[in-house]
Amino acid sequence: MLKTGGISLDVRLNNQLVMVALDVQSREEALVLAKALQGSGCWLKVGLELYSYTGPMMIRELKALGFPIFLDLKLHDIPTTVERAIRGFVQSGADMINVHCSGGYDMMARAGNAVREEGSKLKSIPKVIGVTVLTSMSESQFRQEMGVQRNLGEHVVELAVLAEKAGLDGVVASAKEATDIRKSTKAEFLIVTPGIRPAWSEAQDQARVLTPSEALDAGSSYLVIGRPITRSEDPRQALERLWT
């Protein structure tokens, strides 16, 4: 089996589908994790927690280490505010940015247009995707707390279809909804799935979970995985264990 940088080519190709969530509160912690994973082929996800402590410079530092970056801030505001804010995030160098689908068609369309316009100036256009329903939310919570009477899975698919119509590149959704999203959207539409837990890991605060292999079989494009990797004694080894 071919090897690249000490790992098999097959493992490296699988790692390119993994977005490791750097849910830490300091630049130092983030860089320790990034350097442990450098050369593995994975993405890094910068979410609200890390971004609030470090800002856009963190993205530039992680990019300099060779990682593609998913900036996961889940923008949800009036269309004009989202459009203006997202232009700044494109300038940070992020490779993928997200907004909330529940912000509506106009907000998503304007976010997508802004990303393409700003990215074309930089000759690097990030992907922009929409968050459907958080994977921490169960079916019962969705109905009781959100006051929505229809099935959670049906709601997710409808939001995904709306995101595609608005010109977004994909959505964030549970792998449990991925198969139905695949049936309702184009083949190139991206499905980024949090709530991924290897068989050897605990579910923790995720309610709708699948293993990495199950998620890919269901139609997921990228897998967001945090604590099973970042809180292990050896993050690099934990990343590679996903495929064993």
Side-chain angles (χ1 to χ4, degrees):
M1 184 178 291
L2 292 175
K3 291 198 172 185
T4 306
I7 60 176
S8 74
L9 184 58
D10 285 346
V11 168
R12 185 179 175 83
L13 289 172
N14 283 336
N15 287 351
Q16 290 174 4
L17 308 179
V18 176
M19 298 173 160
V20 177
L22 298 183
D23 294 328
V24 295
Q25 297 182 351
S26 72
R27 169 182 176 271
E28 292 72 23
E29 288 177 283
L31 289 177
V32 166
L33 286 167
K35 289 174 181 177
L37 297 168
Q38 195 171 14
S40 66
C42 71
W43 287 58
L44 296 179
K45 183 180 80 72
V46 175
L48 189 59
E49 183 178 2
L50 179 58
Y51 192 86
S52 68
Y53 285 94
T54 62
M57 283 304 298
M58 188 78 258
I59 299 170
R60 297 186 179 101
E61 285 194 81
L62 296 173
K63 290 280 291 182
L65 292 175
F67 293 97
I69 303 298
F70 172 26
L71 181 59
D72 177 27
L73 300 184
K74 302 181 179 70
L75 302 182
H76 189 179
D77 211 313
I78 63 172
T80 298
T81 298
V82 169
E83 178 182 357
R84 291 175 177 173
I86 210 164
R87 291 182 185 275
F89 297 139
V90 173
Q91 292 176 17
S92 73
D95 300 278
M96 184 179 287
I97 305 169
N98 62 0
V99 301
H100 262 291
C101 292
S102 55
Y105 177 91
D106 188 38
M107 189 203 76
M108 289 191 284
R110 288 175 65 173
N113 288 336
V115 165
R116 288 184 285 273
E117 286 178 10
E118 206 64 38
S120 64
K121 298 175 188 175
L122 303 173
K123 298 183 179 179
S124 178
I125 302 176
K127 300 294 185 183
V128 57
I129 62 176
V131 178
T132 54
V133 176
L134 299 177
T135 51
S136 59
M137 183 165 287
S138 67
E139 180 82 36
S140 60
Q141 285 178 306
F142 177 71
R143 289 176 180 270
Q144 295 170 14
E145 298 175 14
M146 305 303 291
V148 180
Q149 296 307 308
R150 63 184 165 189
N151 177 276
L152 187 153
E154 293 174 355
H155 184 71
V156 167
V157 172
E158 288 188 14
L159 288 176
V161 170
L162 183 65
E164 185 178 47
K165 288 180 180 176
L168 299 195
D169 298 295
V171 290
V172 179
S174 164
K176 292 194 173 184
E177 289 95 45
T179 299
D180 289 333
I181 293 172
R182 279 275 163 256
K183 294 175 183 176
S184 303
T185 57
K186 295 178 181 176
E188 63 270 22
F189 195 67
L190 300 175
I191 304 175
V192 177
T193 56
I196 303 299
R197 291 290 183 265
W200 42 265
S201 167
E202 296 180 359
Q204 295 162 316
D205 59 358
Q206 296 290 350
R208 301 183 343 266
V209 300
L210 289 178
T211 67
S213 296
E214 288 172 339
L216 292 179
D217 288 344
S220 298
S221 309
Y222 292 100
L223 314 177
V224 177
I225 307 175
R227 284 165 288 188
I229 295 173
T230 59
R231 294 191 182 178
S232 70
E233 292 185 4
D234 187 336
R236 180 64 165 263
Q237 184 183 63
L239 173 63
E240 294 175 18
R241 277 186 68 200
L242 297 177
W243 314 112
T244 59

